[in-house]
Amino acid sequence: MTVKRLDTQQRMSKIVIHNDTIYLCGQVAEDAGKGIKEQTETMLAKVDLLLEQAGSDKKHILSATIYIKSMDYFAEMNEVWDNWVPEGHAPARACVEASMAREELLVEISVIAAV
């Protein structure tokens, strides 16, 4: 059984690969001072970069769990999400309202993808 960990720190690895499945740690916005659309865009850009580093891309996402500070942001977040997901490649997805680790964060995503 091979487990490969990339960018491992004390608390977590940014990427874990096991049996051709990629697990990304939770990703948040680059600039948490922005609004929900901008935070969603930069969060998804980070997912793109991590998937590329792991040898995959967004067409291979199997599952995504989105944590959103308030469902008041749901429609705006989905607008960005819908433009980001390639047609015909929508993953299984859940979106839940959650408290964030930092007050200014509005959205976070956890992704599982195939290599």
Side-chain angles (χ1 to χ4, degrees), residues 5-72:
R5 299 174 198 282
L6 304 174
D7 203 356
T8 300
Q9 301 163 7
Q10 173 73 25
R11 188 170 292 149
M12 70 183 119
S13 297
K14 285 191 178 179
I15 303 168
V16 175
I17 303 170
H18 177 256
N19 290 339
D20 293 330
T21 303
I22 301 163
Y23 302 85
L24 301 184
C25 70
Q27 295 302 304
V28 297
E30 230 8 83
D31 182 356
K34 302 283 185 176
I36 186 65
K37 285 186 176 183
E38 294 86 353
Q39 285 196 30
T40 304
E41 288 168 355
T42 62
M43 173 189 75
L44 295 175
K46 288 169 71 176
V47 169
D48 282 330
L49 290 173
L50 290 171
L51 288 174
E52 183 180 332
Q53 183 181 349
S56 190
D57 60 39
K58 61 188 168 188
K59 289 182 178 179
H60 292 87
I61 295 176
L62 304 172
S63 175
T65 303
I66 299 171
Y67 305 92
I68 193 165
K69 186 172 185 172
S70 169
M71 283 299 171
D72 292 341

